[in-house]
Structures are given as structure tokens and as C-alpha cells.
């Protein structure tokens, strides 16, 4: 029991730190998107910037996101408990490895910028693709720094510290806002790409300074290449099943970007404006919970982990299901409130709102599925996570291809929702949480049917409709919680503690 309490406290503290950083980062993120929308709208420069971002992050995430954090954090956390000297060897060995890979990728992106952007956004005209290639070259300069910074944040998390991870979004948006400002001031959109490079350098600087204060970053007194090969071999064994994760999600995102380019320049830019809104929940809930859980729950056994997740899932659904329904019903006024200024006109609002409706349909599942997938990785079931992620990515791709001609831009959001629902169902099944999921969703579905006619009656297209709609949503769901005993218990847990589900 004491171990469970300690884990609950550690997860709660980790979540609070990451959540606080996410709040600051998300506020800056909205400031970034508002500035981009007012300055460039959904025109060619905005579309080129989105294309360059995707062209940079798809290959970079292949060895700096799910693969690296899912393999490095649990292994490093175990080494820190058992043999700190071996943990240092792991850190420096992986640092040398990913630094070399980051440098090679930077050179490839710089040299192949024209070809890569042509493959990724074939529907854009030649001038927009050329602009995207120019931005990609600027972003490529920051790739090695980005990879190094990612590793330092994961090293801190393995040791129970979360400063770099909590600062990540804020530093990213400071760099990108600076790029937008210089681009607007000079009239040269290529500075949007240099904003990413600035972020990567700042992020790496913060990461190196912070992790240098820990014993983990102290170089071994005598670097043992034999030991380095041994730890890299074990790291490779842990990482190998995870290599499918970024490949599957990357293919899905690449197809999504290709489809968006065929729907027009405006759809390419609108896709990311809508995603900025829908992914607020991922940034504020799923990512802090998932990353904190990966670090903290890697330290406990499967029974304690399952107990935590059984309490966690209903709490996440209670927050995200009402938010999904409200966002789906009020997508247009929300988009108007956030972005309708400057060069972001009515057409941009309409396309962005359509995509946002599609995202909102499965927003609750995207958040919950992400958290459960990280719990499975913490449990040591990386191969299973890779499999279910591949299935979800396949659903995403097929839905995009089948729906975009008949449904238009909303298909981009609906495809993501379909993938999120698939991921949630498969991860819940993998964690033997099918009954928990069903028990949580039934009263929430009934509550949605109660709220739906009220939400439809109050729905409007102007921002003035939002306050009344939001108040009605909150009051309605308070009533639903009071009427459903199971939801009352979940709500009471949420009110008593920020840990979102303590182990019992």
C-alpha cells in the first residue's frame, strides 16, 4: 500500500508540473496561432509553413518522440534504481547516437527539401511548394538541437524531474512567435521557418543547462565502449517494437497532408488551426498524464498500474466527453473568437470550423487512447502498443482516402476521430478495461442525449452565443453528474485530488 501511495504522490506531482507548463505553453500557442492567422490567414504562406512543419517533424519524430521516450525513460529509470553508473553510460551512448542521426537527417532535409515538399503537398501550386521548401531548409538547421533537447527532457523525467518537459511548449511558442513577428516585419515568410530553428536552439540550451545539474549528465570517468555496446543493445531491444509507432503515425499524417493539399491551399492551413483547438485537451491532459505516467508508473508493478488506470479512465472521459460535444456544436463561434481577424476571413472560418467539428467527434477518444497507450508502454507492452497504433493509423488513412471527395474538409477531422476511437477501444481491451470503459460511457452517452437538444437550441454562429451555450453546458452536465451515481463518484475524486485517480 505504501508503494501505491508513493506512486500516487509522484504521479500527482509530475502531472501538476507538466500541467502547469502546458497551461503556459498553450496560452503562448494560442497567441502564436492568432498572430499567424491575423498575418497570413489561410493563404499560401500559412499553407507553406504548415507543410514545412510537417516535413520537418515527420522524420524527426521517428527517433525523437514515441520511440525515444518509450524506450529510454523506462530503461533509464530502472538503471537509476539499480546502477546509476550504467544510467550515465546509457545517457551518453544514446546522446552520441541521436546527435549523429540528427545531424544526418538535417543534411538530408536541407538537400532534399524540394523533393520532400513536392511529395508531401502535391496539391499546392509550384510557388507555395517552393516557399515550403525554403522554410524546410531553415527548419532543418534546428533538427540536431531539437533531438538533443528531447533526450535531455526524457533523461530528467527518468530521474523524476520535469522542468525541461514542462518548459518545452512555452519555449517552442516563443521561438515561433519571434519568427512570425520577423516575417511580418520584413514581409519575408521564410522567417517562419527560422522561428522553428530558434526554438530548437533555445530548447537545447535549456535542456543541456538543466540536465547538467544532475548526476546523470556527468560523463563517466573512463568511457567503457564494451559497456556502451551492452546498454545500447538493451536499449535497442526495448526500442525495436516502438519503431512502428512513428512510422504508422507518420504515414497517417503524411496522407492527411496530401489529402488536405488536394482540398485546396486553405484546407492545408485550416487543418492546423483546427488542430490547435482540438489538441488543447491533448496538451493539457493527455500529454502530462501520459508522460508522467510513463515515468512514474514504470517504477511499479502491473497490479498497481492497473489500479491507477481503472480510476483514471472514467475521470478523463468525464472531462473530455462534455468538452467534445460542446466543441462540436460551437465550432464556428469558437473559431471566430480565436482567429477571425486580419487576413482570416469568413471562408477561412468556415473551412476551419468544418474540420474542427470532425476532430470534436472523437476528441474524447483521442485523449483517453493516448493515456492508455502510455500506460501500456509503462507496463512493458511496447509491441502491443505498436500494433494497435498501426491499426488506428490504418483507419485514419483509409477514412481520409474514402471520405474526402464526398465530405470535403470535415473528412480530415472525422478521420482523426475514427483513429482515436479505434485506439481507445484497442488499448482498453489490451489493459482489460473494456467493462470500465463501457460503464463510464453509458451514463455519459445518456447525458449527451440530454444535453444535445439544449446545445442545438442555443447554438449560433456569432461569438455572442458562446457565453450562454457554455453556461447551459456546465449546468446540464452538473445535473447529469448528480443523476448518475457512478459519475458522482468520479466527480468527487476529481474534486478531492488533482491526481486524477489514486490507486486504491
Amino acid at each position: 500500500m505504501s508503494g501505491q501511495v508513493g506512486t500516487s504522490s509522484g504521479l500527482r506531482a509530475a502531472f501538476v508540473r507538466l500541467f502547469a507548463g502546458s497551461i503556459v505553453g498553450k496560452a503562448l500557442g494560442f497567441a502564436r496561432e492568432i498572430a499567424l492567422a491575423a498575418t497570413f490567414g489561410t493563404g499560401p504562406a500559412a499553407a507553406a509553413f504548415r507543410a514545412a512543419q510537417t516535413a520537418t517533424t515527420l522524420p524527426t519524430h521517428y527517433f525523437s518522440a514515441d520511440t525515444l521516450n518509450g524506450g529510454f525513460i523506462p530503461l533509464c529509470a530502472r538503471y537509476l534504481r539499480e546502477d546509476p553508473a550504467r544510467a550515465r553510460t546509457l545517457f551518453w551512448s544514446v546522446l552520441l547516437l541521436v546527435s549523429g542521426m540528427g545531424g544526418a537527417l538535417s543534411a538530408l532535409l536541407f538537400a532534399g527539401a524540394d523533393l520532400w515538399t513536392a511529395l508531401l503537398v502535391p496539391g499546392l501550386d509550384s510557388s507555395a511548394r517552393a516557399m515550403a521548401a525554403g522554410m524546410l531548409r531553415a527548419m532543418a538547421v534546428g533538427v540536431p538541437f531539437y533531438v538533443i533537447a528531447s533526450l535531455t527532457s526524457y533523461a530528467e523525467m527518468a530521474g523524476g524531474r520535469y522542468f525541461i518537459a514542462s518548459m518545452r511548449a512555452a519555449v517552442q511558442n516563443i521561438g515561433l512567435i519571434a519568427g512570425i513577428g520577423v516575417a511580418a516585419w520584413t514581409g519575408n515568410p521564410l522567417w517562419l521557418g527560422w522561428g522553428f530553428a530558434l526554438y530548437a536552439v533555445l530548447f537545447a540550451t535549456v535542456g543541456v543547462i538543466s540536465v547538467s545539474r544532475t548526476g546523470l549528465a556527468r560523463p563517466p570517468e573512463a568511457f567503457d565502449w564494451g559497456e556502451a555496446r551492452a546498454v545500447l543493445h538493451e536499449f535497442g531491444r526495448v526500442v525495436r517494437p516502438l519503431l512502428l509507432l512513428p512510422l504508422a503515425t507518420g504515414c497517417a499524417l503524411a496522407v492527411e497532408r496530401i489529402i488536405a493539399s488536394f482540398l485546396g491551399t486553405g484546407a492545408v492551413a485550416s487543418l492546423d488551426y483546427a488542430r490547435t483547438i482540438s489538441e488543447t485537451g491533448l496538451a493539457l491532459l493527455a500529454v502530462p498524464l501520459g508522460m508522467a505516467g510513463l515515468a512514474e508508473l514504470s517504477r511499479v508493478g502491473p497490479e498497481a498500474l492497473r489500479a491507477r488506470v481503472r480510476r483514471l479512465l472514467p475521470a478523463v472521459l468525464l472531462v473530455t466527453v462534455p468538452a467534445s460535444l460542446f466543441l462540436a456544436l460551437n465550432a464556428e463561434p469558437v473559431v471566430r473568437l480565436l482567429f477571425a481577424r486580419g487576413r482570416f476571413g469568413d471562408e477561412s472560418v468556415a473551412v476551419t470550423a468544418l474540420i474542427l467539428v470532425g476532430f470534436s467527434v472523437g476528441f474524447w477518444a483521442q485523449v483517453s487512447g493516448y493515456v492508455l497507450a502510455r500506460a501500456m508502454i509503462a507496463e512493458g507492452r511496447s509491441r502491443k502498443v505498436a500494433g494497435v497504433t498501426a491499426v488506428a493509423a490504418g483507419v485514419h488513412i483509409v477514412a481520409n482516402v474514402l471520405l474526402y471527395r464526398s465530405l470535403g474538409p470535415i473528412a480530415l477531422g472525422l478521420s482523426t476521430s475514427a483513429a482515436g476511437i479505434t485506439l481507445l477501444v484497442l488499448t482498453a481491451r489490451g489493459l482489460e478495461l473494456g467493462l470500465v470503459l463501457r460503464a463510464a460511457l453509458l451514463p455519459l452517452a445518456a447525458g449527451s442525449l440530454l444535453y444535445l437538444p439544449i446545445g442545438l437550441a442555443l447554438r449560433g454562429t456569432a461569438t455572442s452565443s458562446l457565453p450562454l451555450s457554455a453556461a447551459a453546458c456546465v449546468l446540464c452536465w452538473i445535473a447529469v453528474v448528480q443523476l448518475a451515481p457512478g459519475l458522482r463518484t468520479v466527480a468527487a475524486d476529481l474534486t478531492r485530488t488533482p491526481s486524477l485517480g489514486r490507486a486504491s
Side-chain angles (χ1 to χ4, degrees):
M1 181 68 180
S2 61
Q4 291 180 1
V5 173
T7 304
S8 176
S9 176
L11 179 55
R12 180 170 61 250
F15 171 75
V16 168
R17 292 190 192 102
L18 292 173
F19 180 78
S22 295
I23 288 286
V24 176
K26 204 61 191 176
L28 288 169
F30 275 117
R32 177 200 73 207
E33 292 299 305
I34 290 168
L36 184 66
T39 306
F40 297 105
T42 55
F49 174 58
R50 301 304 193 186
Q53 271 189 311
T54 305
T56 303
T57 56
L58 280 183
T60 304
H61 280 175
Y62 191 80
F63 56 88
S64 69
D66 291 326
T67 302
L68 187 57
N69 67 47
F72 181 85
I73 294 175
L75 183 61
C76 188
R78 176 162 67 84
Y79 282 170
L80 284 170
R81 290 196 311 271
E82 300 171 357
D83 186 352
R86 200 168 212 212
R88 291 198 300 273
T89 300
L90 174 68
F91 173 75
W92 283 97
S93 300
V94 175
L95 178 63
L96 291 173
L97 177 65
V98 299
S99 297
M101 295 174 69
L105 178 59
S106 175
L108 286 173
L109 288 175
F110 196 94
D114 292 303
L115 176 61
W116 183 215
T117 51
L119 290 172
L120 197 58
V121 282
L124 294 187
D125 60 41
S126 57
S127 62
R129 287 202 304 270
M131 192 185 305
M135 293 179 185
L136 175 56
R137 291 188 182 94
M139 292 180 181
V141 173
V143 166
F145 299 96
Y146 177 87
V147 173
I148 292 170
S150 297
L151 179 62
T152 60
S153 71
Y154 303 147
E156 264 203 345
M157 292 172 70
R161 300 177 72 245
Y162 299 89
F163 174 73
I164 305 172
S166 67
M167 291 291 293
R168 180 174 189 161
V171 173
Q172 174 184 6
N173 288 310
I174 288 170
L176 293 177
I177 288 170
I180 293 169
V182 176
W185 180 51
T186 62
N188 183 359
L190 293 182
W191 281 103
L192 295 172
W194 286 109
F196 174 86
L198 174 62
Y199 145 62
V201 173
L202 288 173
F203 185 30
T205 302
V206 171
V208 169
I209 292 173
S210 182
V211 81
S212 66
R213 297 172 180 169
T214 70
L216 183 63
R218 188 174 70 251
E221 294 179 3
F223 198 82
D224 186 336
W225 290 103
E227 179 73 357
R229 282 194 297 270
V231 298
L232 284 177
H233 176 76
E234 187 167 6
F235 175 69
R237 181 183 59 78
V238 175
V239 162
R240 199 173 298 118
L242 295 171
L243 292 175
L244 185 60
L245 282 175
L247 179 62
T249 56
C251 287
L253 290 174
V255 170
E256 178 186 73
R257 192 65 62 181
I258 292 169
I259 295 296
S261 74
F262 288 136
L263 290 171
T265 299
V268 174
S270 293
L271 174 63
D272 286 288
Y273 289 123
R275 180 170 279 126
T276 296
I277 301 171
S278 71
E279 289 190 348
T280 296
L282 282 173
L284 296 182
L285 285 178
V287 173
L289 279 173
M291 296 303 292
L294 180 60
E296 299 296 328
L297 296 179
S298 296
R299 313 177 201 277
V300 302
E303 291 185 8
L305 186 148
R306 294 286 179 94
R308 291 300 306 273
V309 176
R310 278 195 296 271
R311 298 287 294 274
L312 176 62
L313 179 58
V316 173
L317 289 170
L318 179 57
V319 174
T320 55
V321 168
S324 297
L325 192 53
F326 175 80
L327 200 55
L329 293 176
N330 296 277
E332 184 170 341
V334 168
V335 172
R336 286 192 181 278
L337 176 66
L338 293 173
F339 301 131
R341 55 187 60 81
R343 297 185 63 181
F344 201 96
D346 288 341
E347 183 178 353
S348 298
V349 169
V351 175
T352 304
L354 275 175
I355 299 173
L356 181 57
V357 169
F359 280 140
S360 303
V361 169
F363 164 73
W364 54 276
Q366 295 169 49
V367 174
S368 305
Y370 181 94
V371 173
L372 294 190
R374 291 304 170 279
M376 288 181 70
I377 292 175
E379 198 178 43
R381 302 176 66 195
S382 300
R383 192 178 300 276
K384 179 70 173 179
V385 173
V388 300
T389 301
V391 173
V395 169
H396 189 243
I397 291 170
V398 171
N400 261 311
V401 172
L402 293 180
L403 297 178
Y404 86 96
R405 291 184 185 276
S406 57
L407 298 182
I410 195 174
L412 298 170
L414 289 175
S415 300
T416 299
S417 290
I421 293 170
T422 302
L423 181 64
L424 173 59
V425 170
L426 294 179
T427 52
R429 182 179 179 184
L431 288 166
E432 300 177 352
L433 295 174
L435 292 177
V436 175
L437 178 62
R438 191 179 309 126
L441 285 179
L442 283 176
L444 289 170
S448 297
L449 291 176
L450 177 65
Y451 166 68
L452 188 59
I454 300 172
L456 286 171
L458 296 175
R459 182 178 60 169
T461 58
T463 57
S464 58
S465 67
L466 282 176
L468 182 58
S469 294
C473 179
V474 171
L475 292 174
C476 181
W477 280 102
I478 288 175
V480 169
V481 167
Q482 294 304 313
L483 291 171
L487 294 182
R488 280 205 307 273
T489 301
V490 175
D493 280 349
L494 283 170
T495 303
R496 281 197 297 265
T497 175
S499 66
L500 291 178
R502 296 165 294 175
S504 55

